[in-house]
Amino acid sequence: MTTRAERATPPSAGPSPVEEDVWETVARLARHFDAHDDARGLVQTEQWTLQVLKIAEETGEASQAVIGARGTNPRKGDSHTWEDVHAEVADVIITGMVALARMRPEDADQYLRLQLAAKAARFLADALAADHPSPGETA
């Protein structure tokens, strides 16, 4: 069985994505999808809506791969590998990054950095507090 990861091929136009900064590649993908949707006559909010729905589709594929890797669907059995799951999770992340770049082409990378920092600070502060209670607190 050929896995999705094995079927994936990098785009042939322009510099190799592995030679580019991640956000440069994401921006190129965003521009490509914008042009495609512009040619179809979709207004910006329709494009954004469809891109967010694409994230949900990719999440469903990741879920399907986990079910296949665990073999929990008796009709399909062991239909996926954990490598397939990894590839599907990467697709979710890439699709999310492209969505953000389409909605915020000028600052998607900085916006994501700020969001990650804020969420990590909150989570890590909560985790640190749980691991090291203040004097007089019980864990």
Side-chain angles (χ1 to χ4, degrees), residues 112-129:
L112 181 61
R113 267 192 221 104
L114 289 171
Q115 290 295 312
L116 177 60
K119 291 172 188 349
R122 186 175 64 235
F123 177 79
L124 295 175
D126 291 346
L128 182 61

Side-chain angles (χ1 to χ4, degrees), residues 17 27 39 41-42 49 56 83 91 113:
L42 298 174
T49 300
E83 184 63 33
D91 285 351
R113 267 192 221 104

Side-chain angles (χ1 to χ4, degrees), residues 37-77:
D37 287 350
D38 287 344
R40 295 179 61 227
L42 298 174
V43 298
Q44 191 174 60
T45 55
E46 289 175 310
Q47 293 179 28
W48 293 354
T49 300
L50 292 170
Q51 186 69 40
V52 170
L53 291 173
K54 182 67 176 165
I55 297 168
E57 178 192 26
E58 295 297 345
T59 301
E61 291 177 10
S63 299
Q64 180 182 22
V66 169
I67 290 168
R70 297 295 308 248
T72 58
N73 182 338
R75 185 173 58 81
K76 294 182 180 180

